[in-house]
Amino acid sequence: YKILAWCVCAVFLGMAGALTGNLVGFIDPRELAFAGATFGVWMVVMAILGGKGTLWGPVIGAALFHLTQELFWTYLLNWQRVALGVLIVLIVVLFPTGIMGWLRDYSANRRHMTGSPTS
């Protein structure tokens, strides 16, 4: 099972690399493999934003984080790093359980307030 999981991951990684190479036109392994210290921080923020311990949480967190990152880089010119720092603080303070955890808690509170039976 481990080898099969590794092969499936390698297929998706190869497809992503092919798309990146086609889009960029040039691939330097040092830039992609060692993207810097902020790359690791961004991965953690994506997982926290979406919700840790869930399958779809990090996927949703990655999509939202990349969307806001692109918007910041497009419209905030030289202030994009400051805006990303503020976003990280807001995520940690306002969504400590992530979006999926917030949705789970919101639906549980809503069911509790309406008197619907829980399953």
Side-chain angles (χ1 to χ4, degrees):
Y1 290 115
K2 288 181 182 180
I3 293 173
L4 179 63
W6 183 84
C7 290
V8 169
C9 291
V11 166
F12 287 117
L13 187 61
M15 289 190 305
L19 291 173
T20 301
N22 189 25
L23 180 68
V24 175
F26 175 75
I27 293 180
D28 184 15
R30 287 175 288 171
E31 291 179 12
L32 293 175
F34 307 106
T38 58
F39 193 68
V41 172
W42 290 342
M43 287 189 288
V44 172
V45 169
M46 291 175 204
I48 292 172
L49 174 61
K52 58 185 180 181
T54 63
L55 179 65
W56 290 105
V59 175
I60 293 169
L64 288 175
F65 185 77
H66 277 293
L67 177 70
T68 55
Q69 184 182 32
E70 289 298 323
L71 290 173
F72 288 164
W73 284 348
T74 302
Y75 296 111
L76 295 180
L77 300 176
N78 292 328
W79 290 90
Q80 69 267 18
R81 297 285 184 185
V82 174
L84 282 174
V86 170
L87 177 68
I88 291 170
V89 170
L90 289 175
I91 288 169
V92 171
V93 170
L94 297 177
F95 295 104
T97 60
I99 293 173
M100 297 298 285
W102 178 79
L103 287 173
R104 182 181 55 237
D105 294 342
Y106 178 75
S107 65
N109 287 339
R110 195 165 161 97
R111 262 185 278 157
H112 177 68
M113 293 185 79
T114 59
S116 299
T118 58
S119 52

